[in-house]
Amino acid sequence: MATYKRRGYKPANKKDKAQLEEEQSTTAEVFNTLDESASKTEEWVAKNQKYILTTIGIVVIGIIGYLTYDQFIQKPKEIEASNELFFAQQYFDKALNESDNDSLYNLALNGAEGKYGLVDIIDKYKGTKAANLATYSAGMAYLNMNDYESAINYLEDFSSDDAILGALAKGAIGDAFIQLEQPEDALPYYEQAVSHSTNDFTTPRYLLKAGITALDLGQNEKALKHFNRIKEEFSNSEEGRTIDIFIGKAETLK
């Protein structure tokens, strides 16, 4: 266990001075790594959204669109909502691929050409699958527009048993709290994202974010637990390739 020095501590000799300088250097390196990891949050979120919209989101909309004739008669609201969502989702998809995308996110949220946006769909088609998916997309749109409080409000209203989509929503709330400089609120959501499901896509990523956030909060034992799980279960993941560095830093700060 590392020994922490009180403020005003002065090394008694050259050996102690060298040891102190080494500990200070290691601590500075840890927090530099934290800063670098935090700066990549929005880039990774955007990449995840594109993945979801081209896989799970399309699958969900496709399932709704291919309902049988009897279901169409019984559930016209669901069909109508899915048609409206398809229009709004096109703006959202396009925004993910544009650098200057705030106007596109606004169109996705508020609608255009007489069509509903995500916010209207959520309000007018409550209880439908389309409205639930619109809630997720609205939250992600606000996150990318740096409106973190709105992102949290929408994403907290979203619910999904899907292994990937549910985890991403929880993790995105954690990202929003990080941007609001509230790591103590972000950590539980990263851990909820981890516990939502176990998969090679979201689990190692949110284990790493949870570990980094725990380090930031001085919860070094918890951080080490998250890092070790990546090493043990997800060593072949992108996070697993550098996890030994994080484990070493967490052990240094124990």
Side-chain angles (χ1 to χ4, degrees), residues 24 71-72 81 93 132 141 218-219 244:
Q24 290 173 336
Q71 288 174 315
F72 176 80
D93 293 350
N132 189 45
Q219 300 177 24
D244 285 337

Side-chain angles (χ1 to χ4, degrees), residues 1 11 13-14 23 40 49 64 90 99 107 116 130 133 147 153 165 190 203 207-208 217 222 231 244 249:
M1 180 177 292
N13 50 52
K14 290 183 179 180
E23 291 176 0
K40 296 179 181 178
Q49 290 177 79
I64 296 172
Q90 286 182 311
S99 56
L107 289 172
Y116 290 143
L133 186 58
D147 186 347
N153 289 335
L165 202 60
Y190 286 146
T203 308
L207 279 170
L208 182 61
L217 294 170
K222 178 178 285 190
K231 183 176 179 64
D244 285 337
K249 290 173 181 177

Side-chain angles (χ1 to χ4, degrees), residues 24-231:
Q24 290 173 336
S25 175
T26 301
T27 301
E29 184 182 354
V30 169
F31 289 102
N32 285 336
T33 302
L34 293 175
D35 291 340
E36 290 170 4
S37 299
S39 69
K40 296 179 181 178
T41 295
E42 292 185 1
E43 177 184 348
W44 189 83
V45 169
K47 182 168 62 177
N48 282 340
Q49 290 177 79
K50 185 174 181 180
Y51 172 86
I52 291 305
L53 291 171
T54 56
T55 53
I56 297 171
I58 292 174
V59 169
V60 171
I61 296 172
I63 290 172
I64 296 172
Y66 284 96
L67 293 172
T68 65
Y69 177 78
D70 287 339
Q71 288 174 315
F72 176 80
I73 296 299
Q74 294 172 2
K75 300 180 181 179
K77 186 178 180 181
E78 191 76 73
I79 297 296
E80 185 179 334
S82 68
N83 289 336
E84 292 289 349
L85 178 60
F86 179 77
F87 181 85
Q89 202 77 17
Q90 286 182 311
Y91 283 114
F92 185 81
D93 293 350
K94 189 175 181 181
L96 294 176
N97 298 312
E98 300 284 342
S99 56
D100 185 15
N101 50 21
D102 276 7
S103 61
L104 290 170
Y105 282 127
N106 273 313
L107 289 172
L109 288 165
N110 300 310
E113 301 176 20
K115 293 288 188 178
Y116 290 143
L118 297 169
V119 173
D120 290 323
I121 293 168
I122 294 165
D123 181 56
K124 296 180 181 297
Y125 298 101
K126 289 176 181 173
T128 64
K129 295 177 181 178
N132 189 45
L133 186 58
T135 302
Y136 170 84
S137 296
M140 289 299 191
Y142 280 119
L143 184 65
N144 282 338
M145 294 171 68
N146 303 328
D147 186 347
Y148 303 118
E149 293 181 359
S150 294
I152 291 167
N153 289 335
Y154 277 97
L155 290 169
E156 284 187 332
D157 286 340
F158 171 74
S159 62
S160 176
D161 293 331
D162 183 86
I164 303 296
L165 202 60
L168 283 174
K170 296 297 184 185
I173 296 174
D175 291 339
F177 275 122
I178 287 294
Q179 297 299 330
L180 291 171
E181 298 183 356
Q182 296 176 227
E184 69 281 359
D185 293 310
L187 181 56
Y189 282 100
Y190 286 146
E191 292 177 334
Q192 287 177 45
V194 170
S195 62
H196 181 82
S197 64
T198 300
N199 62 81
D200 293 335
F201 178 56
T202 63
T203 308
R205 179 63 185 185
Y206 290 122
L207 279 170
L208 182 61
K209 289 196 173 201
I212 290 172
T213 306
L215 274 184
D216 189 27
L217 294 170
Q219 300 177 24
N220 304 323
E221 290 285 354
K222 178 178 285 190
L224 188 58
K225 178 181 177 182
H226 292 317
F227 295 151
N228 279 331
R229 186 178 171 194
I230 294 174
K231 183 176 179 64

